[in-house]
Amino acid sequence: MKIIIVAVFIPLVIYLWPTSLGGDTQILLVSGQSMYPTIQDGSLVITKESPPYEIGDIVAYYSKEARLNVVHRIIDVESNGNFVIKGDNNANKDPGGVTTDDVFGEVFRDLDKLQPG
């Protein structure tokens, strides 16, 4: 049993290695109602770099305008390749253009997506 636990635990830890230690995974605390009801205020979300990002993906990015990390949904892609992003519970899109380089990663909503491979 211990071997099975170790065999599952070690790959999962490697797959979810945080960006602060050189990985591509972040855990963020959501503050606010902009993604309600999809993501509740106070929820922890896991993001992982997974380009290419597509319309419908919920992503985390750094907003230069707001000077904070934002978790919102891609609703369109402009002709220059910038993403149009908006919170599910917001009437207006987010200001400014968001590029692939601005995006930390996609928010995982299903544990199935956390499986390597």
Side-chain angles (χ1 to χ4, degrees):
M1 186 64 162
K2 289 180 184 181
I3 293 173
I4 293 171
I5 292 172
V6 170
V8 170
F9 183 72
I10 290 175
L12 189 60
V13 167
I14 291 169
Y15 185 70
L16 295 175
W17 200 254
T19 56
S20 60
L21 298 175
D24 61 359
T25 303
Q26 290 191 27
I27 298 174
L28 302 170
L29 176 66
V30 174
S31 175
Q33 299 291 325
S34 65
M35 284 301 292
Y36 182 82
T38 309
I39 300 174
Q40 306 288 321
D41 180 31
S43 296
L44 287 175
V45 295
I46 298 172
T47 67
K48 189 159 183 67
E49 290 179 29
S50 60
Y53 303 106
E54 301 173 349
I55 294 172
D57 289 345
I58 298 174
V59 295
Y61 73 97
Y62 180 76
S63 169
K64 296 171 191 120
E65 290 79 11
R67 296 185 186 165
L68 53 83
N69 296 334
V70 176
V71 175
H72 282 170
R73 186 182 305 276
I74 298 173
I75 61 168
D76 201 2
V77 179
E78 297 174 339
S79 60
N80 63 4
N82 286 352
F83 299 121
V84 178
I85 296 183
K86 168 178 127 30
D88 290 356
N89 197 30
N90 290 352
N92 299 316
K93 65 181 184 174
D94 295 1
V98 177
T99 68
T100 300
D101 292 338
D102 298 325
V103 175
F104 302 148
E106 182 178 356
V107 173
F108 289 103
R109 293 175 288 163
D110 301 317
L111 289 179
D112 293 342
K113 286 188 170 185
L114 293 176
Q115 301 301 320

